[in-house]
């Protein structure tokens, strides 16, 4: 991998990680369209450490409060009813599904799941699901001629059951094209949570999963055509760009609909199917060389 490739892929990772359009799919597609080797699951997982570092810094006050309350609750029973302490347990519980499935499906994640036909399918299907969830949220928030405005749930109402459902939604992102934020936000909206609550928990829930995945894949970094230098460079680029994107996205969702992302996902998925059907793009583009 050249330094230019690593710069572009780091930029793509930072731009797409927090948007509900799938960063792993866009890394895969960028390489395929440019005629580069598939950067692979290890490169993707490690560069995500950069974007998760942006989450750690952006939500540093929330994270510090949650971690502090969680540790105190281990020895102080009076703290166990504290919302922040409970949030610490809910993040741990919600991380179990992706941890178990990530290890179980490792070979599929690095192989069959990177087929461009599957990515096109997941882009479209999750796009439709996100569109439905967004529409339901908008209906509750705006009401209507014969419908009163309905208040959506906040994270203070999050329990073990919903935490696990969020976790299983996040685990779906093991398939490129699903999108970690897209799946968890869709799940949250369908369960009745507000856009801001669903997005905030989505980002907090991703921290242990992404950091653990990146650490696990470190052993494979530097193998094949991807060396350590470009991987680290791409990770730094992803961090800088990712921080700017997350700040923008958290403001965007408070007043805007997810429909632009829904339309983009569906169009991209259709274009992929057309290109593959026409023989312009191979569903395994870059894989053999990667």
């Amino acid at each position: 991998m050249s330094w230019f490739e690593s710069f572009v892929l780091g930029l793509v990772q930072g731009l797409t990680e927090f948007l509900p359009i799938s960063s792993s799919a866009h890394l895969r597609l960028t390489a395929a369209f440019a005629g580069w080797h598939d950067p692979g699951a290890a490169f993707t997982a490690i560069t995500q450490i950069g974007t998760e570092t942006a989450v750690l810094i952006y939500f540093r006050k929330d994270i510090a409060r949650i971690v502090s309350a969680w540790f105190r609750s281990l020895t102080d029973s009076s703290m166990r009813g504290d919302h922040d302490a409970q949030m610490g347990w809910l993040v741990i519980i919600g991380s179990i599904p992706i941890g178990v499935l990530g290890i179980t499906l490792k070979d599929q994640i690095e192989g069959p799941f990177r087929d461009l036909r599957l990515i096109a399918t997941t882009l479209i299907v999750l796009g439709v699901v996100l569109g439905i969830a967004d529409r339901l949220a908008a209906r509750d928030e705006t009401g209507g001629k014969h419908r009163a405005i309905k208040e959506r749930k906040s994270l203070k109402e999050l329990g073990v059951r919903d935490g696990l459902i969020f976790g299983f939604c996040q685990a779906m992102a093991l398939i490129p094209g699903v999108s970690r934020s897209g799946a968890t936000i869709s799940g949250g909206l369908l369960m009745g949570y507000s856009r801001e609550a669903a997005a905030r928990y989505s980002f907090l829930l991703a921290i242990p999963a992404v950091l653990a995945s990146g650490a696990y894949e470190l052993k494979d970094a530097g193998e094949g055509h991807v060396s350590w230098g470009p991987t680290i460079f791409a990770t730094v680029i992803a961090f800088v760009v990712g921080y700017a994107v997350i700040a923008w996205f958290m403001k965007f969702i408070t007043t805007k609909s997810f429909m632009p992302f829904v339309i983009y996902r569906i169009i991209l998925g259709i274009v992929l199917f057309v290109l593959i059907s026409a023989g312009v793009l191979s569903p395994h583009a870059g894989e053999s060389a990667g």
Side-chain angles (χ1 to χ4, degrees):
M1 176 182 288
S2 69
W3 290 98
F4 176 71
E5 287 178 49
S6 69
F7 171 78
V8 172
L9 293 175
L11 184 64
V12 171
Q13 168 63 29
L15 287 171
T16 59
E17 172 66 17
F18 304 117
L19 306 181
I21 55 176
S22 180
S23 61
S24 57
H26 279 75
L27 288 175
R28 176 79 178 88
L29 292 174
T30 299
F33 283 125
W36 301 337
H37 299 338
D38 179 359
F43 177 86
T44 301
I46 293 170
T47 54
Q48 284 177 337
I49 293 177
T51 45
E52 283 313 302
T53 302
V55 173
L56 290 173
I57 295 175
Y58 187 85
F59 290 109
R60 61 189 180 278
K61 293 181 180 178
D62 290 6
I63 294 170
R65 196 175 62 248
I66 290 170
V67 171
S68 174
W70 182 80
F71 272 111
R72 281 183 289 152
S73 72
L74 297 178
T75 56
D76 184 354
S77 59
S78 65
M79 284 293 299
R80 290 169 191 169
D82 182 83
H83 171 67
D84 289 324
Q86 292 176 343
M87 184 60 67
W89 284 113
L90 290 170
V91 169
I92 293 172
I93 291 170
S95 300
I96 294 174
I98 197 170
V100 173
L101 292 174
I103 295 173
T104 304
L105 301 175
K106 185 178 187 298
D107 291 340
Q108 286 74 25
I109 294 168
E110 296 177 347
F113 285 2
R114 302 184 75 77
D115 188 305
L116 295 182
R117 291 166 296 191
L118 178 59
I119 290 176
T121 301
T122 54
L123 281 169
I124 294 171
V125 171
L126 200 281
V128 172
V129 172
L130 179 60
I132 293 172
D134 183 70
R135 180 58 184 164
L136 291 174
R139 186 180 65 181
D140 288 346
E141 292 166 355
T142 59
K145 186 175 181 180
H146 303 293
R147 186 184 300 110
I149 293 176
K150 180 181 179 182
E151 185 175 353
R152 304 214 112 210
K153 294 190 286 187
S154 69
L155 288 183
K156 290 186 177 180
E157 299 171 76
L158 182 65
V160 173
R161 183 188 72 91
D162 287 358
L164 278 173
I165 293 175
F166 266 112
F168 278 107
C169 290
Q170 177 179 241
M172 292 172 59
L174 292 170
I175 305 174
V178 170
S179 168
R180 187 190 313 277
S181 64
T184 49
I185 289 173
S186 294
L189 294 179
L190 290 173
M191 287 189 287
Y193 288 88
S194 68
R195 300 170 196 270
E196 193 274 340
R200 185 172 291 268
Y201 184 64
S202 170
F203 293 148
L204 293 176
L205 187 61
I207 293 172
V210 170
L211 295 182
S213 175
Y216 181 78
E217 295 288 357
L218 284 175
K219 64 181 182 355
D220 295 328
E223 296 183 358
H225 71 287
V226 183
S227 59
W228 265 108
T231 300
I232 294 174
F233 181 55
T235 302
V236 173
I237 296 297
F239 160 72
V240 174
V241 177
Y243 187 87
V245 171
I246 193 173
W248 171 82
F249 186 64
M250 291 304 293
K251 293 179 180 178
F252 175 88
I253 60 174
T254 58
T255 58
K256 306 294 184 181
S257 165
F258 288 115
M259 289 310 296
F261 303 113
V262 171
I263 295 170
Y264 172 78
R265 289 181 64 101
I266 293 174
I267 291 176
L268 180 58
I270 292 173
V271 169
L272 270 178
F273 272 128
V274 171
L275 293 176
I276 293 170
S277 298
V280 176
L281 189 66
S282 166
H284 305 288
E287 284 186 359
S288 58

